[in-house]
Amino acid sequence: MSVAVAVRPVNDGPKEIRSIVSDAIDPIVRKIDREGHYPEGALRELGEAGAFSRHAVQSPSTGLPAAVADMATISEVCMSTGFCTWCQDALVWYLASSENTGLRKRLLDRVAGGEQLGGTGLSNPMKSFSGIEKLALRGEKVSGGYQVSGRLPWVSNIGPNNIFAAIFELSDGRRVMSVVNANASGVKLSHSSEFIALEGTGTYTVLLKDTFIPNDEVISEDVAEFIPKIRQGFVLLQFGMGLGLARGVANNMVKQVATARNAQWLPLTPNMILDRVSELEATAVQLAVSSGDTSRGAFLDVLRARLKVAELAMSAAQSGALQAGASGYMIGSESNRRQREALFMGILTPSVKHITTELARG
Ligand SMILES: Cc1cc2nc3c(=O)[nH]c(=O)nc-3n(C[C@H](O)[C@H](O)[C@H](O)COP(=O)(O)OP(=O)(O)OC[C@H]3O[C@@H](n4cnc5c(N)ncnc54)[C@H](O)[C@@H]3O)c2cc1C
């Protein structure tokens, strides 16, 4: 097959976000990937430009797709920063959905504007709702709040001054969701293992020992009711990471072919990747309209599409690597970085095996 293929123009995304990506993220992508550099400055700029506030200030049906679009623009160049964006976006989503008006007033704008950075320790609770794991944090009611202990193996987009959302279980079985300050007494962050990618995401193991959570940091006193309201948005937002990565790979393949002699397209061509990205973007828009539907059927629809996003990201990255050939087999090559990043879409909660387990249950 020859290379005479009309290549579609690249979706440019919001201008301000795109220029932060090219000025503040693109130049440090290798540092993020190879040295585990956490791009705090770029994240704050993205926050100021509105990247984390689309779904906080607009209705979910328009806000979620806008947040996905910004995350895709970021992930097109760096999925590590795209994942930090998701962590921040997920926290915004919980705060915006919280009935604790005091907490919302105090934190939502600061988190949505990137002034306060933070993440979410909800993988374990999401797996526990699927019966895959036991809930890791235990709490007890004390005067003015709760005392919480336990260990979360990974929480990203945090650091000593950041915050994260967590869920703990009381002795009567009730589950409570709250914000935790990483610098609160009894909270310890440690970083012992090295990941194959995503090292620059500020990911730590978090240990809580008798940590006091005041009532005014509680996001929801009734997690059983709260989770069905936020779980679709939690998963839908992740589309931005996978779709952006796939688009970035396609763009890179086009650039490489333009300079290669006798280049041949592979079975999965850049235009096919871009077409699938567009289809799944349209699916995300449709699913966002029904993101308030708390039924299991609606959630399974989102999981089905999320599986397709993970598969597209991983197959696009593989196609990019096959096209790059030996130049992509070098440590530090772009196509290898994209493959390592893409695999994260398959293991991030809900992981491929988590989704397939849920879909098999029906
Ligand atoms: C770099 C990095 C950053 C992360 N950041 C965060 C974060 O910010 N917040 C957070 O909460 N989490 C975070 N995580 C965790 C992440 O979201 C996932 O929960 C984790 O990667 C999933 O791995 P797992 O193997 O534990 O679980 P899963 O892959 O989800 O598997 C769960 C379980 O499914 C069962 N299972 C189902 N089907 C099969 C099958 N076919 N074969 C075998 N077992 C099956 C097994 O019991 C397995 O233990 C991070 C992880 C990494 C690597």
Side-chain angles (χ1 to χ4, degrees):
M1 214 191 314
S2 83
V3 189
V5 179
V7 175
R8 285 204 323 230
V10 170
N11 175 352
D12 266 347
K15 222 171 172 186
E16 209 179 344
I17 302 300
R18 188 155 286 275
S19 60
I20 295 170
V21 170
S22 53
D23 297 346
I25 301 173
D26 202 21
I28 58 166
V29 160
R30 279 177 69 92
K31 201 170 161 195
I32 293 170
D33 183 52
R34 306 285 301 156
E35 296 168 30
H37 171 75
Y38 175 60
E40 182 174 337
L43 289 167
R44 293 203 189 273
E45 280 188 54
L46 288 167
E48 274 174 36
F52 314 136
S53 65
R54 315 290 183 210
H55 54 312
V57 294
Q58 298 174 33
S59 77
S61 63
T62 50
L64 287 170
V68 165
D70 281 356
M71 202 186 302
T73 301
I74 297 159
S75 304
E76 209 179 298
V77 167
C78 175
M79 209 190 78
S80 260
T81 314
F83 178 54
C84 292
T85 300
W86 176 79
C87 295
Q88 191 79 14
D89 276 358
L91 185 57
V92 166
W93 183 237
Y94 311 151
L95 291 170
S97 314
S98 173
E99 277 166 17
N100 183 343
T101 37
L103 180 71
R104 254 201 346 256
K105 267 196 187 146
R106 193 157 41 80
L107 266 187
L108 181 58
D109 284 352
R110 295 184 59 228
V111 178
E115 196 187 322
Q116 172 65 63
L117 296 175
T120 157
L122 254 60
S123 289
N124 161 258
M126 290 295 181
K127 288 191 262 184
S128 103
F129 294 127
S130 297
I132 288 172
E133 281 182 8
K134 283 202 165 134
L135 204 70
L137 302 183
R138 302 263 141 202
E140 62 175 295
K141 187 90 188 99
V142 292
S143 169
Y146 298 91
Q147 200 162 45
V148 179
S149 296
R151 177 182 171 273
L152 295 171
W154 304 285
V155 184
S156 305
N157 206 38
I158 58 169
N161 298 313
N162 295 11
I163 59 173
F164 60 95
I167 292 179
F168 49 91
E169 188 168 298
L170 305 177
S171 52
D172 63 4
R174 189 164 64 89
R175 292 172 171 198
V176 176
M177 182 166 171
S178 76
V179 166
V180 180
N181 281 279
N183 61 13
S185 164
V187 178
K188 214 173 128 192
L189 306 186
S190 65
H191 180 83
S192 47
S193 33
E194 195 181 341
F195 301 115
I196 59 164
L198 284 282
E199 259 302 285
T201 52
T203 300
Y204 294 87
T205 299
V206 180
L207 200 67
L208 274 75
K209 194 161 184 304
D210 297 330
T211 300
F212 177 64
I213 308 284
N215 285 331
D216 58 13
E217 302 276 285
V218 168
I219 296 173
S220 171
E221 293 277 0
D222 186 357
V223 162
E225 204 190 306
F226 190 70
I227 289 291
K229 287 192 216 159
I230 52 117
R231 64 184 173 182
Q232 294 203 44
F234 174 97
V235 178
L236 266 173
L237 284 165
Q238 295 173 346
F239 284 36
M241 298 162 59
L243 297 182
L245 179 136
R247 204 162 61 205
V249 167
N251 295 343
N252 205 37
M253 287 170 82
V254 170
K255 271 194 235 150
Q256 277 178 351
V257 163
T259 55
R261 268 200 229 162
N262 303 321
Q264 306 240 318
W265 291 126
L266 289 153
L268 185 59
T269 66
N271 276 350
M272 286 161 71
I273 294 171
L274 293 171
D275 282 342
R276 289 191 196 170
V277 168
S278 301
E279 279 163 31
L280 285 163
E281 273 169 350
T283 306
V285 170
Q286 274 169 11
L287 291 170
V289 173
S290 53
S291 62
D293 181 346
T294 55
S295 69
R296 178 159 174 84
F299 185 49
L300 291 183
D301 286 343
V302 174
L303 289 183
R304 247 177 239 112
R306 164 70 172 79
L307 183 60
K308 288 186 187 161
V309 172
E311 285 167 350
L312 175 61
M314 292 187 284
S315 57
Q318 166 129 332
S319 204
L322 292 175
Q323 181 175 295
S327 70
Y329 206 67
M330 307 288 170
I331 288 177
S333 71
E334 159 90 4
S335 69
N336 178 251
R337 173 174 68 89
R338 306 268 57 187
Q339 270 198 302
R340 289 181 283 109
E341 288 179 345
L343 185 56
F344 190 65
M345 284 309 294
I347 65 143
L348 169 68
T349 294
S351 65
V352 166
K353 62 185 170 175
H354 182 164
I355 296 174
T356 48
T357 303
E358 284 290 355
L359 295 179
R361 277 183 195 147

